[in-house]
Amino acid sequence: MSDSSPHTTEVGSPSAEPWEAVVNGLDTNVESGLANATADQRLSRHGPNVLSAESRSRTLERVFDQFNDVLIWLLLAAAAVSGFLLEAWIDAAAIAAIVLLNAAIGFTQETRANNALEKLKDMQAPEAVVLRNGSKQRIAAELIVPGDILHLESGDLIAADARIVKSVHLVVNEAPLTGESMPIPKSEDAVPPGTPLADRTSMLHAGTAVVSGRGVAIVVETGSATEMGTIANLFSDDRPQTPLQVELSRVGRRLAALAGVAAVLVFAAGLLRSYPVETMLLTAVALAVAAIPEGLPAVVTVSLSAGLQRMARRNAVVRRLPAVEALGAVDVVCTDKTGTITAPEIEVAEVRFLGSSGSNRLDSLDKTDSRVGSALLVALLCNDSFESPDGWVGDPTEIALKRMVDEHSGLDSAKAMAKLPRVDEVGFDSRRKMMTTVHTDGAATFIASKGAPEVLADICTEALGPNGPIPLSDEERNEVMQSAESLASAGMRTLALACRRGRETDEEPEEALTYVALVGLREKLRPEVPDAVESARKAGVRTVMITGDHAVTARAVSNAVGISEGSVMEGTRLSETSADELSEFITDYTVFARVDPADKVKIIDAWHARGARVAMTGDGVNDAPALHRADIGVAMGSGTDVAKEAAGLVLTDDNYATVVGAIEEGRRLFANLRNVVHYLISANASEVLFVLTGILAFGSLGLPITAVQLLWINLISDAMPAIALGMDRPARDLMADPPGQGRDILSKRNLMLLGVQGSILAAASVAALVVGTYVLDGSSALVQTMVFTTLVLSQLLHALNVRHGRLGTDTRSVRPRPLLLYSILGSMLIHVGVVYTPFGNEVFGTVPLGAAAAFWSLMTAVASFAAIRLFNRRVAT
């Protein structure tokens, strides 16, 4: 009996059928409910009314997933080789510690992400009142079955999807499910087939809440078959890798190939020089290990963590570490409207009177006009909302009216209400579409009414004019309706106000009323959003608005904040279009209205099909699947726990402008990590090229550097500058670049440039080898120490060349952060200890360098720094 799809109803679906047919189809009775035995049978058949968690990864699977990465495999191999073949157990332990640290971080992040489904479970009602065996019973919500008769009152959380049988002023908040900002009046009247989810006024849905009124409904779906269950099922697909994870995986594969080639070349070169096979095997393996930047995962983790702290200072809390960088790569930001572009509150934007020629804006009303006072009095009296110590309580529309009175009337609301106490009322009804309250001061009566413009325009016989009441003719009624249409076309909700004075209280209160004014209400726009949208546009990032609201409202809001370059697609068309079809023309649309949760995922998939990297912002349960599917999900801090658990980033200030700031931070972080990778690879390339050259050209002199010295450089000497590069300030305005520019870290061009830089660094070490051997006539240990020292110094100075921006394209000098200078100095001091202390001499096979040897090592390193700087400038020009 459920709707045939989560998107639109079809003929025979509960929302489109008379409730009597639904009751008959489920073989139940509205007056007595199900028999307990029948309920037990249905519970066995349909299962408990809970959301399934079968799609989540098991704990052990998540643990093993942390090691399913090419770079991690390389590091594990490097650790094994270092320990078992080279007997460098300290280096092996350091590499293993890096791998375990990254695995622990990844496991923690994925565990938190899987909690999103648990948060969905928390939104299910713990208990519900049902009719069984002819009497009302309060039972655990998980025991509810299709055919149960629910009895609902104000404040109840709805436990299952149900077709309304009876409603008395029933109003439901469906914002968590549909994104609809206003509470929805419900009735038992069937809706047409094809009605979108947000407009199915004959249905109640699990996870939503009764705001006011009461009702009776028959359960049609439970558990995973409900609309909330449909959302839970959308979490089953894997979360896409972030751009950084994709790029690092590509880097790992290329490094594996390069390391293998280097090992084969060195092994072959050694055999040609008649070196022992065992010696060359160990040397080749050591060189392959040296070719892998073992410190890269640790540097990436530290850099991401530093970015996490910077984002936290900008009111963006990172839940998944790779998300720190992911926003910098996005081409498209798909944003929810309610709670993201607009604040979670309604405001009165305009008040229109008959025949008024001035401004209708609330802040420019003529307070001397008697109609203004009458409108404010009606808004105050015909109102059930109130302000408590914990904030406003009541219907959002009524809260907006009360705020209007408090901010613009100058009235003492408490005194006015005490002077005209309420003595009777006719509550809002979805059929009458109006509410009326009766007040008296003991001598006279005042009746206040508010409702749909078409209803009050028909009931009223008079209208307040500038000089008092006037007859309400058909011409004036047309003026009211035209004004209402004008407000609606601007995306506002409309509400008419009317009153009556001095009549007897026993007369029909909703007759012969006097029309007072027309009120235009809208969601309050966040003031910072227009500037943020423009900043994103300048950065090459497209903003797309996705909302469950009506197309007219969506277009009005999008125009107000500057999202106006594309068309609007409504949910009915979207639901009929596949993701593949949508991808062909999705660039024509910047606004999607009346969208169901599954279709938000479809929009993400369509952008992915075009190769775009997509961020999704939102705050409701209905946003959670799209937050999960996007390259980076951004939840509002005031949103639901489900949205926050599904997202990688949470904005504590709910400020859309923070998204743009986070994009800038993400770009900065990737630029720094790109520099880190370039630094480490060019440094490792210099080691491979030097060893290969030393064996081929100077093989008679023995091995030019030891395996332990190579591993020390990779794990310690290079690591400190690499960490500093990962935390460096940007060398230029990164927001001026198109999204994704320069993200191919190891492109063919970059590999060529890195090869040249590595060759220059290797040449410096070759020069040190030549000087130490033929000029200084040093021992083998002295020459190895000179080479070791030259490699360390040249690579440390090389960090200053790398930080200038994209490889070989930007040579403008921007002063580095002190941290980089301190890290270079610190690594140099550590190396002094390695060379000049007995412990260092014993562990690394070094000898103290005399003044001449130290001078030549320093000069060759400085020469390599100058040569690379000159090369970069030549390439840039």
Side-chain angles (χ1 to χ4, degrees):
M1 292 298 298
S2 67
D3 287 333
S4 61
S5 83
H7 311 302
T8 58
T9 60
E10 305 293 341
V11 175
S13 63
S15 59
E17 289 185 355
W19 65 263
E20 295 89 349
V22 177
V23 171
N24 291 333
L26 286 169
D27 192 19
T28 188
N29 188 296
V30 175
E31 302 299 327
S32 61
L34 294 173
N36 286 333
T38 303
D40 290 341
Q41 292 173 359
R42 294 188 182 187
L43 184 62
S44 299
R45 187 191 323 152
H46 295 279
N49 180 35
V50 295
L51 299 182
S52 172
E54 293 177 357
S55 62
R56 292 179 296 160
S57 299
R58 294 191 300 270
T59 300
L60 285 179
E61 289 177 344
R62 291 202 300 273
V63 171
F64 290 131
D65 285 345
Q66 307 314 311
F67 299 94
N68 188 22
D69 181 85
V70 175
L71 191 56
I72 296 299
W73 296 343
L74 289 176
L75 294 183
L76 290 173
V81 168
S82 299
F84 294 105
L85 293 182
L86 305 179
E87 296 185 354
W89 291 106
I90 295 177
D91 297 305
I95 297 172
I98 290 170
V99 171
L100 292 176
L101 173 64
N102 282 275
I105 292 173
F107 176 79
T108 301
Q109 292 161 357
E110 291 191 11
T111 299
R112 289 178 177 176
N114 281 333
N115 287 340
L117 195 56
E118 295 298 327
K119 296 297 182 181
L120 272 175
K121 286 185 175 182
D122 291 343
M123 296 193 68
Q124 293 181 288
E127 294 182 325
V129 175
V130 301
L131 193 62
R132 287 189 180 174
N133 287 341
S135 62
K136 292 182 181 180
Q137 303 177 24
R138 182 173 294 276
I139 65 172
E142 65 182 33
L143 301 179
I144 290 175
V145 297
D148 264 327
I149 304 299
L150 293 177
H151 282 251
L152 299 157
E153 296 182 351
S154 178
D156 285 349
L157 194 63
I158 298 168
D161 286 4
R163 172 66 166 88
I164 298 173
V165 172
K166 179 181 179 182
S167 65
V168 180
H169 313 317
L170 184 63
V171 180
V172 177
N173 176 19
E174 294 187 330
L177 178 66
T178 66
E180 175 63 55
S181 57
M182 302 284 286
I184 306 298
K186 296 286 186 173
S187 75
E188 58 268 31
D189 297 334
V191 298
T195 301
L197 174 64
D199 293 326
R200 297 177 196 167
T201 54
S202 61
M203 293 291 295
L204 301 174
H205 297 290
T208 62
V210 178
V211 174
S212 61
R214 62 184 186 275
V216 178
I218 178 173
V219 174
V220 295
E221 296 288 9
T222 59
S224 296
T226 63
E227 294 294 339
M228 194 67 74
T230 300
I231 292 177
N233 292 334
L234 294 175
F235 280 101
S236 60
D237 291 334
D238 292 336
R239 188 192 302 271
Q241 286 188 311
T242 67
L244 179 63
Q245 290 171 319
V246 171
E247 189 59 34
L248 288 181
S249 179
R250 184 184 298 123
V251 168
R253 290 192 297 271
R254 293 180 180 177
L255 286 178
L258 292 174
V261 170
V264 171
L265 288 176
V266 169
F267 183 73
L271 294 181
L272 290 175
R273 301 291 299 188
S274 300
Y275 285 175
V277 173
E278 183 180 353
T279 299
M280 287 316 304
L281 180 61
L282 289 176
T283 302
V285 170
L287 193 63
V289 172
I292 300 169
E294 288 87 356
L296 181 57
V299 172
V300 169
T301 299
V302 171
S303 300
L304 291 175
S305 298
L308 181 151
Q309 298 301 322
R310 289 193 297 270
M311 284 192 173
R313 290 193 290 270
R314 301 176 77 159
N315 299 311
V317 176
V318 178
R319 296 193 65 260
R320 295 190 300 122
L321 206 54
V324 178
E325 177 275 337
L327 261 178
V330 301
D331 309 281
V332 179
V333 176
C334 293
T335 176
D336 180 44
K337 175 181 70 68
T338 304
T340 307
I341 289 179
T342 60
E345 63 182 72
I346 307 298
E347 65 175 356
V348 176
E350 293 190 25
V351 179
R352 296 188 177 185
F353 303 100
L354 279 179
S356 176
S357 58
S359 173
N360 299 307
R361 289 176 50 191
L362 190 59
D363 57 4
S364 58
L365 293 177
D366 182 3
K367 302 294 177 59
T368 62
D369 190 330
S370 62
R371 295 175 297 179
V372 173
S374 296
L376 294 172
L377 185 60
V378 171
L380 173 66
L381 297 178
C382 190
N383 199 314
D384 290 327
S385 66
F386 61 92
E387 189 172 12
S388 73
D390 297 325
W392 285 94
V393 178
D395 179 83
T397 299
E398 294 192 331
I399 292 173
L401 293 174
K402 273 280 181 71
R403 281 178 166 161
M404 173 185 70
V405 174
D406 290 346
E407 295 170 7
H408 297 278
S409 69
L411 288 173
D412 185 324
S413 298
K415 288 184 178 179
M417 294 175 71
K419 184 178 179 180
L420 287 169
R422 185 183 300 185
V423 295
D424 198 5
E425 66 179 279
V426 183
F428 179 85
D429 183 273
S430 57
R431 291 191 180 88
R432 292 169 38 256
K433 296 183 180 180
M434 65 180 295
M435 171 184 176
T436 300
T437 57
V438 181
H439 307 262
T440 181
D441 61 2
T445 301
F446 184 83
I447 295 175
S449 294
K450 68 175 186 287
E454 65 274 15
V455 173
L456 264 64
D458 185 57
I459 290 176
C460 292
T461 56
E462 293 182 331
L464 284 183
N467 301 312
I470 59 173
L472 188 64
S473 64
D474 290 342
E475 183 178 348
E476 277 80 24
R477 288 189 175 90
N478 288 335
E479 181 182 340
V480 171
M481 296 312 301
Q482 289 174 3
S483 186
E485 291 173 3
S486 173
L487 290 174
S489 66
M492 298 186 201
R493 314 291 174 87
T494 57
L495 192 68
L497 305 178
C499 66
R500 193 173 76 202
R501 301 174 185 268
R503 301 284 293 265
E504 295 295 329
T505 58
D506 59 353
E507 292 188 14
E508 171 57 50
E510 293 183 340
E511 290 182 356
L513 297 174
T514 300
Y515 173 84
V516 178
L518 186 67
V519 176
L521 302 105
R522 67 183 180 193
E523 292 176 80
K524 188 175 183 179
L525 295 177
R526 294 187 182 276
E528 69 279 353
V529 171
D531 289 341
V533 170
E534 180 60 26
S535 296
R537 182 181 291 110
K538 290 179 179 178
V541 178
R542 183 185 184 116
T543 303
V544 175
M545 191 176 80
I546 304 174
T547 177
D549 218 330
H550 292 282
V552 172
T553 303
R555 174 48 82 195
V557 172
S558 67
N559 286 338
V561 298
I563 308 173
S564 55
E565 63 271 20
S567 303
V568 179
M569 179 182 287
E570 294 198 50
T572 49
R573 182 185 175 192
L574 181 60
S575 65
E576 298 167 354
T577 307
S578 70
D580 290 339
E581 294 170 337
L582 182 62
S583 67
E584 296 177 5
F585 49 82
I586 194 169
T587 55
D588 297 334
Y589 296 90
T590 53
V591 179
F592 295 86
R594 228 55 182 156
V595 176
D596 288 346
D599 286 334
K600 293 186 178 185
V601 174
K602 184 188 296 183
I603 294 169
I604 302 294
D605 289 343
W607 277 111
H608 281 161
R610 295 189 68 92
R613 298 182 178 95
V614 185
M616 173 72 193
T617 74
D619 64 343
V621 175
N622 61 315
D623 300 315
L627 291 171
H628 181 81
R629 183 69 65 87
D631 295 286
I632 173 66
V634 182
M636 301 297 113
S638 63
T640 62
D641 287 342
V642 180
K644 286 183 277 192
E645 290 288 351
L649 198 69
V650 178
L651 305 184
T652 58
D653 60 355
D654 288 2
N655 191 333
Y656 184 80
T658 304
V659 176
V660 178
I663 290 175
E664 182 177 8
E665 186 60 49
R667 291 189 179 186
R668 167 189 175 178
L669 186 59
F670 183 83
N672 287 345
L673 290 176
R674 179 181 56 210
N675 289 344
V676 167
V677 174
H678 287 169
Y679 170 65
L680 293 177
I681 291 179
S682 58
N684 287 25
S686 71
E687 298 162 15
V688 173
L689 291 172
F690 168 69
V691 173
L692 187 61
T693 303
I695 291 174
L696 290 175
F698 304 95
S700 61
L701 302 177
L703 289 176
I705 191 169
T706 68
V708 172
Q709 290 170 349
L710 288 174
L711 288 172
W712 173 261
I713 294 173
N714 285 3
L715 284 175
I716 305 300
S717 296
D718 288 350
M720 293 174 62
I723 290 173
L725 283 172
M727 301 169 65
D728 202 12
R729 60 169 59 92
R732 55 200 166 76
D733 181 12
L734 298 172
M735 293 297 280
D737 293 342
Q741 180 169 302
R743 298 195 71 85
D744 189 353
I745 295 178
L746 293 186
S747 64
K748 291 182 179 179
R749 177 181 182 278
N750 286 347
L751 283 174
M752 180 191 71
L753 296 176
L754 290 172
V756 173
Q757 292 182 354
S759 299
I760 294 173
L761 294 173
S765 297
V766 171
L769 184 151
V770 171
V771 170
T773 303
Y774 298 107
V775 176
L776 300 180
D777 194 22
S779 65
S780 175
L782 177 68
V783 173
Q784 282 186 341
T785 304
M786 284 185 65
V787 168
F788 183 26
T789 300
T790 301
L791 268 176
V792 169
L793 293 178
S794 61
Q795 290 179 12
L796 291 178
L797 294 176
H798 182 51
L800 296 173
N801 278 328
V802 169
R803 70 169 302 275
H804 281 287
R806 293 193 305 275
L807 191 61
T809 63
D810 193 342
T811 59
R812 286 176 288 172
S813 178
V814 177
R815 189 174 65 179
R817 291 184 65 184
L819 179 62
L820 178 58
L821 300 178
Y822 294 153
S823 68
I824 294 174
L825 180 60
S827 290
M828 287 181 177
L829 291 176
I830 291 174
H831 186 73
V832 169
V834 169
V835 173
Y836 291 100
T837 65
F839 177 78
N841 298 155
E842 182 179 351
V843 173
F844 297 99
T846 58
V847 296
L849 296 178
F855 172 79
W856 279 107
S857 292
L858 178 61
M859 287 300 99
T860 52
V862 171
S864 69
F865 169 80
I868 292 175
R869 176 63 63 89
L870 179 62
F871 169 74
N872 284 347
R873 289 183 176 178
R874 291 291 298 271
V875 171
T877 57

